[in-house]
Amino acid sequence: MTETEAALRTLAHNVRTARTRAGLSLDELGRRAKVSKGALVGLEKAQGNPNFATLVRLADTLGVSVSALMEGPAEGRVRVVAADAVTPLWTGARGGEARLMLTTPGAAPVEVWRWSLEPGEEYPSHPHQAGVVETVSVTAGRMTLVVDGVEHAVEAGQTACFDGDAAHAYRGAGTTTCHLIMTVHLPQGPASAV
């Protein structure tokens, strides 16, 4: 079995488990997440290739983290993840990318992401579920954070925090690649674990 096949099987199992736990039919999950029933059927059969936006909508609708949909069982007390061992979930037209490094365990998990954005490259995000809080810490370069249509400049050495239930976007600014660490703090609750 290839790495891609194994990842799709894990995703299929985790989506089906989270959907069942939430008491949602395929039709209802599809309606709430704005994903076709056919795509969900394929996903739960470990077929297809869902994009990043679809994974985020499913995770938000199911009340779990994106990595909870993608990860297998925990491997031990300490987990070390190398950036090059994680496949990017988003790749921009100019070469930027987003990698979900890991999600902390517990009742209120935190996703840890590594992003790079080329100058002028933008990733627009739909609003997340109520209670989601995001932080962006720029480690090199500059970015423009757009929340509810308002632009905020964030430069190397600065961190911004905002409620993720508003429309938001990340845009590379300046003349060099922007590198940042993003955390997504998910609301506490039993639905957060798969």
Side-chain angles (χ1 to χ4, degrees), residues 10 13-15 17-18 21 62-65 67-69 71 190-194:
T10 298
H13 174 266
N14 292 344
V15 168
T17 300
R21 183 177 295 134
L62 293 167
V64 300
S65 66
S67 63
L69 294 179
E71 293 178 348
S192 295
V194 170

Side-chain angles (χ1 to χ4, degrees), residues 45 56-57 60 85 109 123 146 175 178:
K45 290 182 176 181
V56 171
R57 286 194 310 272
D60 282 348
Y123 177 78
V146 183
T175 58
C178 174

Side-chain angles (χ1 to χ4, degrees), residues 64-66 103 107-111 129 131-133 184-188 192:
V64 300
S65 66
V66 172
T103 300
V110 177
E111 296 177 348
Q129 64 180 314
V132 170
V133 175
V184 180
H185 303 257
L186 302 167
Q188 185 171 350
S192 295

Side-chain angles (χ1 to χ4, degrees), residues 17-166:
T17 300
R19 179 179 62 77
T20 301
R21 183 177 295 134
L24 297 175
S25 67
L26 284 167
D27 287 323
E28 185 61 15
L29 176 58
R31 186 186 67 75
R32 290 183 187 184
K34 298 181 177 117
V35 176
S36 75
K37 181 179 178 181
L40 287 174
V41 168
L43 181 62
E44 287 194 4
K45 290 182 176 181
Q47 300 169 346
N49 185 18
N51 65 30
F52 178 50
T54 298
L55 291 175
V56 171
R57 286 194 310 272
L58 287 171
D60 282 348
T61 301
L62 293 167
V64 300
S65 66
V66 172
S67 63
L69 294 179
M70 300 181 64
E71 293 178 348
E75 297 171 7
R77 272 185 95 153
V78 176
R79 183 168 178 217
V80 177
V81 180
D84 61 354
V86 179
T87 302
L89 290 178
W90 172 80
T91 303
R94 297 179 182 174
E97 61 184 27
R99 295 173 189 256
L100 176 56
M101 299 304 298
L102 58 86
T103 300
T104 61
V110 177
E111 296 177 348
V112 179
W113 294 80
R114 284 186 180 272
W115 282 75
S116 65
L117 295 165
E118 295 303 321
E121 193 170 49
E122 180 171 309
Y123 177 78
S125 179
H126 72 283
H128 301 299
Q129 64 180 314
V132 170
V133 175
E134 291 192 24
T135 66
V136 290
S137 297
V138 176
T139 59
R142 297 179 354 180
M143 73 171 288
T144 301
L145 172 65
V146 183
V147 179
D148 264 345
V150 179
E151 294 187 359
H152 306 271
V154 187
E155 307 210 5
Q158 295 181 325
T159 298
C161 181
F162 63 97
D163 292 333
D165 61 355

